[in-house]
């Protein structure tokens, strides 16, 4: 019996094919033709065509003369696409990917915090404070620790006032779900609320340098934890 794709056939097929590509299902066999996909998954040609078009836009597929539709190498995938990132994180767990993600965070979030210290509105700061309050409540079992932590970090990206930083919110939110689960499991506890509070206090004080340092320390702690688990020195 063929597995169901859900109500939205196009996105159901997109998710199934995307996950299959990312997990290497087509490394040893050619990607099916449109007719083959239509038959295999019991959908219309238009659904198949749209799903393939979306996978092509994400960099996973390309159409080549005399070769048909082929799977692109990982270097061509759009790693900032939240679907691609989710599929990557859902496949066989990779500590290397976690390290690379947190290296990206070091380049983005401390600067976002510094910008927030300069440009955040009173409303922005209030929302960051709400994220911290959720983290405090989560320590008492009154909120979800993962969602509270993500809310705090995403609120700082928004508070930066820079639309390019804000665009990272979905990437950060998606990848943090895996990163936080992993590091919390290693530590046996949730994120350090006091350290997050230092970031908020620096933003409130309109001190960009202190905000940058406090956020960098948060992420450096994560990198050190992961690297120590791997038996390598923290960088």
């Amino acid at each position: 019996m063929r597995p169901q794709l859900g109500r939205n056939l196009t996105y159901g097929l997109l998710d199934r094919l995307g996950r299959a590509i990312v997990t290497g299902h087509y490394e040893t066999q050619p990607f099916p033709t449109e007719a083959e996909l239509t038959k295999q998954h019991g959908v219309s040609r238009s659904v198949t065509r749209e799903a393939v078009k979306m996978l092509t836009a994400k960099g996973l597929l390309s159409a080549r003369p005399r070769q048909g539709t082929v799977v692109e190498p990982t270097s061509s995938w759009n790693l900032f696409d939240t679907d691609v990132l989710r599929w990557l994180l859902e496949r066989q767990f990779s500590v290397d990917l976690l390290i690379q993600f947190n290296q990206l965070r070091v380049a983005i979030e401390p600067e976002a915090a510094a910008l927030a210290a300069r440009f955040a509105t009173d409303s922005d700061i209030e929302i960051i404070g709400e994220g911290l309050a959720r983290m405090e409540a989560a320590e008492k079992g009154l909120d979800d620790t993962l969602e509270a932590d993500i809310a705090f970090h995403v609120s700082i990206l928004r508070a930066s006032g820079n639309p390019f930083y804000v665009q990272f919110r979905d990437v950060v939110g998606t990848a943090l779900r895996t990163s936080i689960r992993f590091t919390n499991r290693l530590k046996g506890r949730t994120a350090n609320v006091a350290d997050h509070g230092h970031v908020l206090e620096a933003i409130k004080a309109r001190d960009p340098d202190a905000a940058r340092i406090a956020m960098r320390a948060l992420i450096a702690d994560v990198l050190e934890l992961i690297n120590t688990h791997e038996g390598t020195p923290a960088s």
Side-chain angles (χ1 to χ4, degrees), residues 50-75:
E50 185 62 22
V52 169
K53 181 179 177 182
M54 293 166 74
L55 290 167
T56 300
K58 296 174 187 295
L60 274 66
L61 297 174
S62 68
R64 297 181 183 175
R66 296 185 296 278
Q67 293 184 46
T69 302
V70 298
V71 174
E72 287 291 289
T74 307
S75 58

Side-chain angles (χ1 to χ4, degrees), residues 38-135:
T38 298
K39 183 178 180 180
Q40 288 171 9
H41 300 282
V43 295
S44 67
R45 283 286 187 104
S46 61
V47 165
T48 300
R49 195 172 297 120
E50 185 62 22
V52 169
K53 181 179 177 182
M54 293 166 74
L55 290 167
T56 300
K58 296 174 187 295
L60 274 66
L61 297 174
S62 68
R64 297 181 183 175
R66 296 185 296 278
Q67 293 184 46
T69 302
V70 298
V71 174
E72 287 291 289
T74 307
S75 58
S76 297
W77 299 352
N78 179 7
L79 301 181
F80 291 106
D81 182 281
T82 53
D83 285 329
V84 176
L85 184 59
R86 176 169 53 83
W87 295 326
L88 281 167
L89 291 170
E90 286 177 359
R91 73 180 183 182
Q92 184 175 2
F93 184 74
S94 169
V95 172
D96 285 342
L97 187 62
L98 265 187
I99 291 172
Q100 291 161 359
F101 167 66
N102 282 289
Q103 288 169 341
L104 176 66
R105 290 181 65 201
V106 167
I108 295 168
E109 292 191 66
E111 294 308 314
L115 287 172
R118 295 178 60 193
F119 302 118
T121 64
D122 290 343
S123 176
D124 290 332
I125 293 174
E126 184 177 344
I127 292 171
I128 298 171
E130 289 171 359
L132 186 66
R134 287 187 61 185
M135 293 182 70

Side-chain angles (χ1 to χ4, degrees), residues 19-229:
R19 185 176 285 108
I21 291 169
V22 170
T23 56
H25 182 74
Y26 296 109
E27 286 180 355
T28 57
Q29 58 182 304
F31 191 77
T33 64
E34 183 180 293
E36 290 169 338
L37 287 172
T38 298
K39 183 178 180 180
Q40 288 171 9
H41 300 282
V43 295
S44 67
R45 283 286 187 104
S46 61
V47 165
T48 300
R49 195 172 297 120
E50 185 62 22
V52 169
K53 181 179 177 182
M54 293 166 74
L55 290 167
T56 300
K58 296 174 187 295
L60 274 66
L61 297 174
S62 68
R64 297 181 183 175
R66 296 185 296 278
Q67 293 184 46
T69 302
V70 298
V71 174
E72 287 291 289
T74 307
S75 58
S76 297
W77 299 352
N78 179 7
L79 301 181
F80 291 106
D81 182 281
T82 53
D83 285 329
V84 176
L85 184 59
R86 176 169 53 83
W87 295 326
L88 281 167
L89 291 170
E90 286 177 359
R91 73 180 183 182
Q92 184 175 2
F93 184 74
S94 169
V95 172
D96 285 342
L97 187 62
L98 265 187
I99 291 172
Q100 291 161 359
F101 167 66
N102 282 289
Q103 288 169 341
L104 176 66
R105 290 181 65 201
V106 167
I108 295 168
E109 292 191 66
E111 294 308 314
L115 287 172
R118 295 178 60 193
F119 302 118
T121 64
D122 290 343
S123 176
D124 290 332
I125 293 174
E126 184 177 344
I127 292 171
I128 298 171
E130 289 171 359
L132 186 66
R134 287 187 61 185
M135 293 182 70
E136 292 169 342
E139 287 207 324
K140 302 172 185 175
L142 302 176
D143 204 328
D144 183 273
T145 56
L146 179 61
E147 294 301 328
D149 204 344
I150 290 171
F152 178 85
H153 287 275
V154 169
S155 67
I156 291 175
L157 291 173
R158 291 196 179 102
S160 72
N162 184 313
F164 293 99
Y165 281 96
V166 177
Q167 286 288 315
F168 281 102
R169 68 187 182 278
D170 291 336
V171 172
V172 167
T174 300
L176 272 176
R177 294 181 193 283
T178 297
S179 182
I180 291 171
R181 284 192 189 103
F182 179 74
T183 54
N184 284 356
R185 188 167 65 248
L186 286 182
K187 290 186 293 185
R189 59 178 175 81
T190 55
N192 189 313
V193 176
D195 288 347
H196 286 70
H198 295 156
V199 178
L200 175 58
E201 289 307 312
I203 292 172
K204 281 183 174 179
R206 302 297 183 180
D207 188 335
D209 289 336
R212 183 185 294 112
I213 290 168
M215 181 63 83
R216 187 177 292 134
L218 269 182
I219 304 171
D221 179 60
V222 173
L223 273 169
E224 182 177 7
L225 187 65
I226 297 170
N227 279 315
T228 299
H229 174 74

